[in-house]
Amino acid sequence: MYTRPSERVRFGAFELDLSTGELRSVEGPLPNNKVLLREQMFQVMRMLVERDGTIVTREEIKSRLWADHTTIDFDQGINSTIKALRRALGDSADNPRYIETLGRRGYRLMLTIEYPESTTGPVLEKGRDNRQEPAAEMSENRARVQREVWPRRWKAAILLASAVILVGGGYFSWRHFRAITPPKSERIRLAVLPFQNLTGDPNKEYLADGLTEGTISQLGRLNPEQLAVIARTSVMGYKHKDERLDQIGRDLSVQYVLENSLRSSGDHLRLTSQLIQVKDQTHLWSHDYNYAATDILNVEDDVAKEVAREIELRLTSQQRAELSRPHPVNPEAFDAYLHGYYFFQRDTDKDTDMAASYFERSTQLDPSYALAWVWLSRARNWQAEEGLIPREEGHSLSREAIERALALDPNLAQAYSQMGRVKFVDFDWVGADDSIRRAIALEPGNPEYLDQAAFSAAKFGRSDEALTLARRAVELDPLNAFSWGTRGEIEYYEGQLAGAEADVKKSLELSPDVWPGPFLLSEVYLTEGRPQDALPEIKLVRSDYLRTYLYALAYAAIGQQKQSDAVLKELIAKYSTRKAFWVASVYAFRNQRDEAFEWLDRAYAQREDDVADMKFWPMLKNLHSDPRYSAFLNKIHLPTT
């Protein structure tokens, strides 16, 4: 017989409180560990309990969760809710123990329902082999659950509202329900997964991506010695993928994951963030933020404050003040900036032109917006280097924009990073190095700056520092093929050929098109005296002038002098007016020193930035004993020791 249900329903290793929405573990290493389910997760869990083993269709979930016709992608919203619920239960879609998926029809609970506080009669006994209960009994079962829920929902709402007021602005922190965080002597590692665009509008992808980057950047600045935040490049690989949390944890070596989603209703945006501990997939904290579209800039600070509070980061008074500091940015300018950032990250010439237009519009709408000036400088620099606009004009515009950014905000790490690029183009190696060091001092957890700093240190012969920086960049961006390639390059320059070969192969596993990829692998093989192994890699190099350069080296290494001469002649005929440094490298490799120095002088006269690589470029090692080598280093303002 059925009994009167209590406020709590038990299934498997969990107990659900129908009055508060709390899910409690009753088994395993952390019994009584609780998490407060988000409203949508709770409603789906409640439906599964009501049905007690029979199917809950996707249409029913849609009707229950989005009855107000909120504009979202319903399929993605349902999938996201089921995914989050499975994580709370430690369940898997591939090998489910709690929630079974039935094609695209719906879901059902796989375990027996029990009411642990029954007042009369036996506990309900019903296994999976006896699911087809009479319709009247199904109706009564649902009604009994509903009778326990609805009289108490208003109480839960009041309690929740009170909690918001008591903690001052919405800090929901259930530390006593969670496992212990790593000791303070260890760095906590956190991944901010890409914001899911659940608005139903694909044109809002730029907003989701911009918020992802902004949240990563804000969290990464909090306390880098205590909190390591995985870089954007590594986490964006999980965009639109339903990867298991434990796999993400292994891929990125993180203890925590921050999941985020974006929804819209009219002129308001709703963002949901939840902090999850990877080892047991415990939901430590979850919160919904509702903003007018014009106030969306505040979300990055709000999320950062609550995550910092939850994982108990030690923040200085200055850091706390920075999080509370208002950002008086014109909303339209911020929107234009996010559009520009979205197109810039697509990494094509056409998209860079589009990005430059948006960044320029952002600076016009709000001339005091320093970050927009930084990215306008970056876009102009790209356009100049790729020949999309006249080179001198582009570099001049880039320089003006970054100077404007630093005048507006002299403590903006991104501005110093970009100033390093600008000074590099100006052949001001010392100034570039100083700017990049300043960026690292302001934001030591940013792997892009670490890669920059690694190359800069290598240019000045600071080998140990270069390797340390390159390794730190990989730790913070473990799925970024470019970071692995950078580490391989630094190792190559320092003569660590085995490590260089392994790292460049790792970068190619992550992305077959990554720079330096086959180019670097070819050079490693040539330096190791393996020209026959280099030849098939050279074929894969996409750049015409680099491929020609490498063939000139390889034929010389094999002893085919005529073939090397012919290819070198082609390199000079086609590319010498802008690639004299590479001609000099071939001559140096072939130990033709007079010709090598002649072409180095041409490269300097043509303002080729490759000459900054003089100190560590392996193909020039035959020149090191020549007095003209030190003289050339002095001429280009690089130290001789």
Side-chain angles (χ1 to χ4, degrees), residues 423-429 603-604 607-609 611 636-637:
K423 288 184 177 293
F424 184 78
V425 171
D426 292 341
F427 275 40
D428 181 2
W429 321 126
Y604 180 67
R607 309 293 286 178
E608 295 178 20
D609 53 20
V611 298
I636 65 175
H637 308 296

Side-chain angles (χ1 to χ4, degrees), residues 143-357:
R144 286 183 293 109
V145 173
Q146 290 176 335
R147 283 197 297 271
E148 294 301 319
V149 174
W150 290 108
R152 299 175 176 84
R153 292 303 292 167
W154 65 274
K155 296 180 182 177
I158 292 174
L159 289 171
L160 188 58
S162 300
V164 172
I165 296 169
L166 287 172
V167 295
Y171 294 127
F172 296 96
S173 178
W174 301 291
R175 291 190 185 86
H176 53 291
F177 293 147
R178 63 178 168 88
I180 299 172
T181 59
K184 298 305 177 190
S185 59
E186 298 179 15
R187 277 211 303 176
I188 298 167
R189 290 175 62 86
L190 168 73
V192 179
L193 295 185
F195 275 72
Q196 295 184 68
N197 175 21
L198 304 182
T199 64
D201 181 1
N203 293 323
K204 287 287 193 296
E205 285 296 319
Y206 81 94
L207 181 56
D209 287 357
L211 290 172
T212 302
E213 167 64 20
T215 303
I216 291 171
S217 181
Q218 187 65 281
L219 285 166
R221 287 194 293 268
L222 290 182
N223 186 342
E225 292 184 0
Q226 189 186 355
L227 176 66
V229 182
I230 301 301
R232 173 191 181 277
T233 315
S234 287
V235 299
M236 289 304 286
Y238 298 106
K239 188 176 176 69
H240 302 313
K241 290 184 180 179
D242 189 16
E243 192 68 74
R244 291 175 49 142
L245 268 187
D246 55 352
Q247 185 61 52
I248 294 174
R250 287 191 293 271
D251 291 345
L252 303 177
S253 299
V254 295
Q255 296 108 343
Y256 299 96
V257 164
L258 186 69
E259 286 191 331
N260 306 280
S261 62
L262 173 69
R263 294 175 173 81
S264 65
S265 179
D267 61 351
H268 276 68
L269 293 168
R270 183 179 184 183
L271 296 104
T272 298
S273 292
Q274 51 185 349
L275 184 65
I276 304 168
Q277 185 167 254
V278 172
K279 69 177 180 180
D280 55 7
Q281 301 188 23
T282 304
H283 286 60
L284 306 181
W285 160 81
S286 178
H287 190 49
D288 292 328
Y289 302 87
N290 289 288
Y291 295 93
T294 56
D295 296 332
I296 195 64
L297 180 60
N298 295 321
V299 69
E300 296 158 10
D301 288 345
D302 291 345
V303 172
K305 282 189 288 188
E306 299 198 27
V307 171
R309 184 183 181 93
E310 179 60 36
I311 60 180
E312 299 176 332
L313 284 183
R314 298 185 298 274
L315 301 182
T316 65
S317 58
Q318 181 179 350
Q319 289 168 327
R320 289 193 295 270
E322 177 64 23
L323 284 175
S324 301
R325 183 170 64 89
H327 300 279
V329 176
N330 179 302
E332 291 183 45
F334 181 61
D335 189 71
Y337 160 75
L338 289 178
H339 271 98
Y341 179 83
Y342 175 76
F343 282 105
F344 191 88
Q345 296 301 324
R346 294 174 67 157
D347 207 28
T348 69
D349 289 349
K350 180 179 179 181
D351 287 318
T352 302
D353 284 339
M354 184 70 74
S357 297

Side-chain angles (χ1 to χ4, degrees), residues 22-196:
E22 284 184 324
L23 186 68
R24 182 173 70 91
S25 170
V26 295
E27 297 178 5
L30 296 171
N32 299 315
N33 190 33
K34 295 182 183 179
V35 59
L36 182 63
L37 297 178
R38 294 198 337 258
E39 181 62 22
Q40 290 176 342
M41 294 168 62
F42 173 69
Q43 290 293 343
V44 172
M45 193 69 250
R46 188 179 130 208
M47 294 175 78
L48 292 168
V49 168
E50 288 173 357
R51 295 298 175 85
D52 192 16
T54 58
I55 188 171
V56 177
T57 68
R58 292 175 66 87
E59 283 299 317
E60 288 173 318
I61 295 174
K62 173 182 173 182
S63 177
R64 175 78 67 89
L65 269 56
W66 295 288
D68 60 352
H69 304 293
T70 304
T71 304
I72 70 162
D73 181 335
F74 294 111
D75 284 335
Q76 194 170 2
I78 292 171
N79 292 342
S80 177
T81 301
I82 292 293
K83 175 183 173 183
L85 194 53
R86 280 194 169 116
R87 285 179 177 170
L89 296 169
D91 203 11
S92 162
D94 297 328
N95 298 292
R97 294 180 296 122
Y98 289 93
I99 301 174
E100 182 180 14
T101 302
L102 293 99
R104 293 190 58 81
R105 294 171 56 208
Y107 310 90
R108 66 184 173 197
L109 194 64
M110 300 172 66
L111 298 178
T112 299
I113 298 295
E114 298 178 348
Y115 298 95
E117 292 185 355
S118 303
T119 57
T120 63
V123 173
L124 172 65
E125 296 287 347
K126 185 158 69 72
R128 293 190 62 187
D129 295 332
N130 189 27
R131 283 205 180 96
Q132 302 303 317
E133 58 193 312
E137 292 183 359
M138 286 176 58
S139 177
E140 173 61 18
N141 188 45
R142 180 190 307 179
R144 286 183 293 109
V145 173
Q146 290 176 335
R147 283 197 297 271
E148 294 301 319
V149 174
W150 290 108
R152 299 175 176 84
R153 292 303 292 167
W154 65 274
K155 296 180 182 177
I158 292 174
L159 289 171
L160 188 58
S162 300
V164 172
I165 296 169
L166 287 172
V167 295
Y171 294 127
F172 296 96
S173 178
W174 301 291
R175 291 190 185 86
H176 53 291
F177 293 147
R178 63 178 168 88
I180 299 172
T181 59
K184 298 305 177 190
S185 59
E186 298 179 15
R187 277 211 303 176
I188 298 167
R189 290 175 62 86
L190 168 73
V192 179
L193 295 185
F195 275 72
Q196 295 184 68

Side-chain angles (χ1 to χ4, degrees), residues 572-626:
I572 293 171
K574 290 183 177 180
Y575 308 109
S576 62
T577 57
R578 54 193 177 92
K579 299 299 178 184
F581 179 81
W582 302 93
V583 176
S585 295
V586 174
Y587 278 121
F589 182 78
R590 300 189 338 177
N591 207 23
Q592 295 172 266
R593 298 186 181 188
D594 292 343
E595 291 87 347
F597 282 110
E598 176 188 342
W599 282 95
L600 283 175
D601 284 332
R602 288 197 192 188
Y604 180 67
Q606 292 172 185
R607 309 293 286 178
E608 295 178 20
D609 53 20
D610 294 312
V611 298
D613 300 341
M614 279 287 298
K615 280 185 70 69
F616 60 69
W617 196 247
M619 299 307 170
L620 299 179
K621 67 179 182 180
N622 287 332
L623 306 181
H624 290 187
S625 60
D626 193 302

Side-chain angles (χ1 to χ4, degrees), residues 515-585:
W515 169 262
F519 171 75
L520 178 57
L521 197 54
S522 300
E523 289 207 308
V524 170
Y525 288 149
L526 288 170
T527 305
E528 289 179 326
R530 299 161 56 189
Q532 295 293 352
D533 291 333
L535 289 173
E537 295 298 330
I538 295 173
K539 292 180 181 179
L540 302 176
V541 175
R542 293 191 175 186
S543 167
D544 290 338
Y545 82 85
L546 289 178
R547 193 169 55 251
T548 305
Y549 156 76
L550 288 169
Y551 274 128
L553 298 177
Y555 289 137
I558 293 171
Q560 298 179 1
Q561 192 65 31
K562 289 184 178 180
Q563 289 89 332
S564 179
D565 287 342
V567 177
L568 177 57
K569 184 178 180 180
E570 180 185 351
L571 182 67
I572 293 171
K574 290 183 177 180
Y575 308 109
S576 62
T577 57
R578 54 193 177 92
K579 299 299 178 184
F581 179 81
W582 302 93
V583 176
S585 295

